[in-house]
């Protein structure tokens, strides 16, 4: 099958750069800016698409590990109890390890969204009616998990040029575990 | 219970309003946003429609004949539609002239939902205090134009050197050393003037004044942005949950209410290239009566600066090292800078920005609500860096 997204994206970028951009009214600043953003966005998509599945699998494994930590530390009143129970159910059903490699991309994406939602709910609950010690430990878990995940998230969009010190952010390929390998959590 | 945020119920809107008390005008615009959420996306508007809207507004304001000409779209900024035009009119105190003007109008939903009335009142209040564009008329409720709008005079100057390269919204601009040296003192001095400004005899009816000696100012702010996160966010971020809790546990007490610009940075002022003078401060839409530390924290954000040529010194807004910025500000304003309050507001500002970029940015692009969804989507990429800054700041504090 020859007609794949990498070729399609490359052709679209070329059309934008060679034909569309030069034809735009130079006084229409809004159109000029948006045409350039389209080229930039297509370039990012070309880089990201081959890695999207690995990225989602890596995040999913990281979130499952984080969810287990939260279940271990989160103690408190009824709100915390209910949030932890919901998270435990989701974590128990989550695809992990070798199972992930047979899961459809959409399924892993849904799993990531649910784990984000339910871990977020535990954090909120612990700071409403959690025990003081639980707040400290949950806070530390969130900060540690976020540090590892955000490095990947920043690397994911490195090409946009926002980072003041881009050399300090490793390329995304180096940060992602393959779908069949355990993710590096720290 | 799963909430359909793209079509929110009146009960859910009412619950959020009760859960997150904010200033009255902020409540009005956020409530309006949610009530219109299920409505149509942004439809491309011909310039002629905007010209007709401006004519309608001017007919209600002007007694004499006028004519609009040379209307064209402007880029710049991520939140509002802007149309440049020329108005031939009998200008009070001047006589007949052709004045370059800008219409600044909201799209169906903006990356930052704010009040045109507040923006209008703030710019008016600062005429003659710091350089601002002359502001003429406000269509606060969209009676004449498709959406709420204001009209101001076209200010002379550029946001970055004509030869410089930068990203969208003026982010990532690198200025030549000589230009930095000329702009930096004005940049610090104007911030001091804004904070020393006596606002009490000005018409700022769209603003509430927080109580001194309490945490009300900080609490209104956290309520504002946590409400926006709840209203708009799609994919959850556990760090945002932790951050909201941390902010509430550590709210600073307000020692003196001042006007906060709330977007004071490189890219939001114009300067004239021939003499390197700041000619207009723009983008007052997030301004509030609040805590000076909010501006100081914002201006020193990593997102708005870059590393100097020496490869190690971080330049605040690409203009001067942070320590110099703070020393010069204290001298110019005669206010002390409380490092703990700055730290809190850095976390607060990151929380606000992530709420806007990841929450509102997603929601409005998903709903096709703006004239530049592609820009809004592009800007989401900044959110990760701000989350990392937020994470580091909370870690430092604990």
């Amino acid at each position: 099958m020859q007609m794949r997204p990498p070729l399609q994206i490359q052709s679209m970028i070329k059309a934008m750069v060679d034909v569309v951009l030069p034809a735009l009214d130079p006084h229409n600043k809004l159109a000029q800016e948006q045409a350039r953003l389209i080229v930039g966005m297509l370039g990012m998509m070309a880089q990201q698409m081959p890695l999207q599945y690995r990225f989602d699998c890596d995040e999913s494994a990281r979130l499952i590990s984080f969810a287990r930590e939260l279940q271990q530390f989160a103690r408190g009143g009824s709100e915390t109890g209910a949030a932890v129970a919901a998270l435990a159910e989701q974590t128990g059903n989550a695809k992990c390890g070798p199972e992930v490699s047979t899961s459809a991309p959409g399924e892993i994406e849904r799993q990531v969204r649910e784990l984000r939602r339910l871990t977020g709910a535990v954090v909120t609950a612990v700071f409403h009616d959690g025990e003081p010690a639980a707040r400290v430990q949950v806070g530390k878990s969130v900060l540690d998990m976020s540090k590892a995940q955000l490095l990947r998230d920043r690397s994911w969009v490195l090409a946009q040029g926002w980072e003041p010190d881009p050399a300090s952010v490793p390329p995304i390929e180096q940060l992602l575990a393959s779908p069949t390998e355990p993710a590096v959590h720290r | 219970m799963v909430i359909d945020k793209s079509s929110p119920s009146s009960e859910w809107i009412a619950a959020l309003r009760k859960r997150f008390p904010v200033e009255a005008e902020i409540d009005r615009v956020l409530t309006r946003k949610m009530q219109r959420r299920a409505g149509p996306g942004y439809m491309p508007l011909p310039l002629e429609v905007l010209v007709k809207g401006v004519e309608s507004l001017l007919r209600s304001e002007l007694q004499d004949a006028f004519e609009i000409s040379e209307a064209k779209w402007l880029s710049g900024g991520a939140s509002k539609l802007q149309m440049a035009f020329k108005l031939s009119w009998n200008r009070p105190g001047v006589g007949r002239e052709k004045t370059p003007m800008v219409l600044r109008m909201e799209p169906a939903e903006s990356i930052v939902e704010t009040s045109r009335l507040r923006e209008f009142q703030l710019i008016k209040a600062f005429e003659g205090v710091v350089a601002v564009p002359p502001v003429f008329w406000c269509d606060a409720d969209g009676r004449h134009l498709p959406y709420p709008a204001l009209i101001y005079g076209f200010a002379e100057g550029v946001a970055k050197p004509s030869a410089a390269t930068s990203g969208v919204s003026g982010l990532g601009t690198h200025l030549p050393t000589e230009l930095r040296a000329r702009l930096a003192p004005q940049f610090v001095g104007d911030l001091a003037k804004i904070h020393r400004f006596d606002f009490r005899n000005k018409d700022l009816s769209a603003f509430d004044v927080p109580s001194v000696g309490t945490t009300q100012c900080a609490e209104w702010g956290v309520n504002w942005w946590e409400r926006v996160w709840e209203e708009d966010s799609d994919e959850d971020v556990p760090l945002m949950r932790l951050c909201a809790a941390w902010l509430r546990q550590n709210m600073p007490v307000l020692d003196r209410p001042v006007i906060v610009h709330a977007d004071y940075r490189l890219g939001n002022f114009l300067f004239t290239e021939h003499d390197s003078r700041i000619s207009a401060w723009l983008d007052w839409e997030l301004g509030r009566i609040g805590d000076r530390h909010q501006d100081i924290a914002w201006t020193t954000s990593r997102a708005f600066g870059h590393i100097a040529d020496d490869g190690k010194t971080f330049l605040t807004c690409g203009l001067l090292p942070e320590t110099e910025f703070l020393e010069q500000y204290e001298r110019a304003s005669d206010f002390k800078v409380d490092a703990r309050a700055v730290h809190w507001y850095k976390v607060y500002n990151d929380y606000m920005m992530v709420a806007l970029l990841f929450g509102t940015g997603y929601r409005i692009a998903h709903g096709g609500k703006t004239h530049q969804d592609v820009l809004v989507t592009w800007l989401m990429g900044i959110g990760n860096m701000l989350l990392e800054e937020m994470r580091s700041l909370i870690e430092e504090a604990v």
Side-chain angles (χ1 to χ4, degrees):
Chain A
M1 205 267 279
Q2 290 289 287
M3 192 170 162
R4 291 181 182 275
L7 178 64
Q8 292 169 308
I9 291 172
Q10 181 187 310
S11 303
M12 285 191 282
I13 291 173
K14 191 163 190 308
M16 288 296 296
V17 172
D18 291 353
V19 180
V20 179
L21 267 165
L24 284 180
D25 176 359
H27 301 295
N28 190 332
K29 301 295 184 193
L30 196 63
Q32 288 279 342
E33 181 177 83
Q34 296 204 9
R36 286 181 168 79
L37 286 170
I38 289 168
V39 173
M41 199 89 82
L42 286 169
M44 278 186 69
M45 286 171 67
Q47 289 178 13
Q48 292 174 340
M49 280 179 65
L51 294 166
Q52 185 72 62
Y53 184 59
R54 270 178 70 192
F55 187 95
D56 289 340
C57 290
D58 185 88
E59 183 174 358
S60 174
R62 204 171 299 287
L63 283 167
I64 289 169
S65 172
F66 172 55
R68 288 179 179 144
E69 268 188 31
L70 290 185
Q71 289 164 60
Q72 187 185 337
F73 297 138
R75 297 283 179 275
S78 58
E79 191 180 338
T80 296
V84 169
L87 179 61
E89 187 181 347
Q90 173 67 27
T91 313
N93 295 331
K95 296 277 176 64
C96 56
E99 277 182 296
V100 169
S101 62
T102 59
S103 303
E107 195 178 348
I108 298 300
E109 187 187 335
R110 278 191 295 278
Q111 182 165 295
V112 164
R113 292 170 61 85
E114 270 306 277
L115 285 167
R116 279 176 168 266
R117 184 176 73 81
L118 293 167
T119 53
V122 168
V123 175
T124 298
V126 163
F127 281 88
H128 277 169
D129 69 356
E131 295 171 3
R135 292 181 182 186
V136 174
Q137 287 186 307
V138 165
K140 186 174 181 316
S141 285
V142 174
L143 293 174
D144 288 348
M145 179 279 293
S146 301
K147 184 176 185 178
Q149 183 59 41
L150 285 170
L151 186 62
R152 285 149 182 81
D153 293 344
R154 288 159 60 206
S155 182
W156 189 245
V157 295
L158 198 58
Q160 285 189 290
W162 305 118
E163 291 285 337
D165 184 13
S168 66
V169 182
I172 188 65
E173 293 89 343
Q174 287 179 19
L175 294 170
L176 298 180
S178 79
T180 53
E181 291 171 352
V184 178
H185 298 295
R186 298 285 181 267
Chain B
M1 183 177 64
V2 177
I3 304 291
D4 180 2
K5 294 183 180 182
S6 295
S7 185
S9 67
S10 53
E11 291 79 14
W12 189 59
I13 296 170
L16 287 177
R17 294 181 69 190
K18 187 176 175 190
R19 187 174 154 200
F20 299 111
V22 292
E23 290 180 66
E25 178 70 359
I26 301 296
D27 178 56
R28 186 183 74 80
V29 295
L30 292 180
T31 303
R32 182 188 65 191
K33 170 190 80 172
M34 296 305 281
Q35 288 168 339
R36 296 180 177 186
R37 170 65 55 80
Y42 171 77
M43 298 295 286
L45 289 166
L47 279 173
E48 296 73 40
V49 171
L50 300 192
V51 169
K52 282 191 166 35
V54 172
E55 285 172 345
S56 168
L57 172 60
L58 296 187
R59 275 195 297 274
S60 73
E61 298 280 350
L62 300 175
Q63 309 303 318
D64 298 321
F66 63 86
E67 186 184 3
I68 293 167
S69 60
E70 299 174 57
K72 64 178 181 185
W73 291 111
L74 283 180
S75 69
S79 63
K80 305 293 176 288
L81 285 132
Q82 300 200 105
M83 178 185 79
F85 64 97
K86 293 203 172 140
L87 177 65
S88 300
W89 64 313
N90 187 8
R91 186 172 182 176
V94 176
R96 287 215 75 86
E97 69 163 22
K98 197 172 191 179
T99 313
M101 296 206 174
V102 175
L103 170 76
R104 181 170 154 84
M105 186 181 77
E106 299 172 12
E109 266 189 55
S110 171
I111 191 163
V112 53
E113 202 68 28
T114 52
S115 158
R116 299 287 63 73
L117 181 59
R118 278 167 75 106
E119 187 176 7
F120 181 84
Q121 288 183 344
L122 262 191
I123 297 174
K124 268 277 176 222
F126 275 99
E127 281 178 356
V129 180
V130 293
V132 289
V135 63
F136 292 102
W137 304 284
C138 182
D139 184 15
D141 300 309
R143 285 184 194 163
H144 303 278
L145 285 140
Y147 305 104
L150 56 80
I151 294 173
Y152 57 89
F154 199 93
E156 190 190 357
V158 293
K160 63 183 180 188
S162 305
T165 56
S166 77
V168 290
S169 289
L171 302 177
T173 302
H174 288 225
L175 300 177
T177 308
E178 195 176 305
L179 182 57
R180 289 206 302 258
R182 300 200 59 164
L183 291 176
Q186 301 170 66
F187 182 81
V188 181
D190 282 354
L191 184 61
K193 283 182 195 166
I194 292 168
H195 289 174
R196 292 223 49 106
F197 177 64
D198 182 5
F199 59 84
R200 292 188 187 275
N201 58 353
K202 297 289 181 182
D203 176 15
L204 294 172
S205 59
F207 296 78
D208 293 337
V209 183
S211 302
V212 172
T214 74
T215 58
Q216 185 180 47
C217 173
E219 189 171 9
W220 280 351
V222 178
N223 283 344
W224 181 353
W225 299 112
E226 194 172 1
R227 175 166 162 182
V228 167
W229 182 249
E230 291 292 342
E231 288 170 344
D232 297 348
S233 66
D234 175 52
E235 188 178 86
D236 209 341
V237 179
L239 182 59
M240 287 291 279
R241 301 291 171 186
L242 176 69
C243 185
W246 183 89
L247 286 169
R248 290 188 186 282
Q249 284 184 331
N250 295 280
M251 290 189 290
V253 171
L254 180 68
D255 62 354
R256 178 191 182 103
V258 304
I259 298 290
V260 174
H261 179 284
D263 198 3
Y264 196 90
R265 63 174 172 86
L266 184 64
N268 270 347
F269 65 82
L270 302 179
F271 63 95
T272 40
E273 288 189 284
H274 66 278
D275 60 359
S276 307
R277 301 295 305 171
I278 291 179
S279 53
W281 277 99
L282 310 173
D283 278 3
W284 294 78
E285 64 177 315
L286 279 165
R288 62 190 291 226
I289 297 172
D291 190 323
R292 64 188 178 277
H293 297 97
Q294 180 180 338
D295 270 339
I296 294 164
W298 178 263
T299 302
T300 54
S301 167
R302 302 284 292 179
F304 305 136
H306 62 81
I307 302 288
D309 296 337
D310 65 7
K312 56 186 178 185
T313 308
F314 186 80
L315 298 176
T316 292
C317 281
L319 286 168
L320 72 173
E322 183 172 321
T323 47
E324 288 180 28
F325 169 76
L326 295 173
E327 284 167 12
Q328 290 181 24
Y329 170 81
E330 286 194 332
R331 269 202 306 275
S333 67
D334 207 23
F335 293 146
K336 284 288 168 205
V337 174
D338 177 345
R340 281 176 62 90
V342 172
H343 190 100
W344 188 90
Y345 272 106
K346 277 181 185 277
V347 178
Y348 167 89
N349 287 334
D350 284 340
Y351 185 85
M352 171 182 73
M353 282 293 284
V354 175
L356 292 175
L357 292 166
F358 279 175
T360 310
Y362 167 82
R363 186 63 52 191
I364 60 177
H366 178 71
K369 294 284 188 174
T370 86
H371 59 301
Q372 46 186 1
D373 292 343
V374 66
L375 172 60
V376 169
T377 304
W378 182 258
L379 291 175
M380 288 170 76
I382 310 174
N384 299 314
M385 189 178 66
L386 295 172
L387 276 170
E388 173 53 27
E389 182 177 73
M390 172 203 291
R391 191 202 66 77
S392 301
L393 289 165
I394 294 174
E395 195 170 61
E396 275 174 41
V398 298

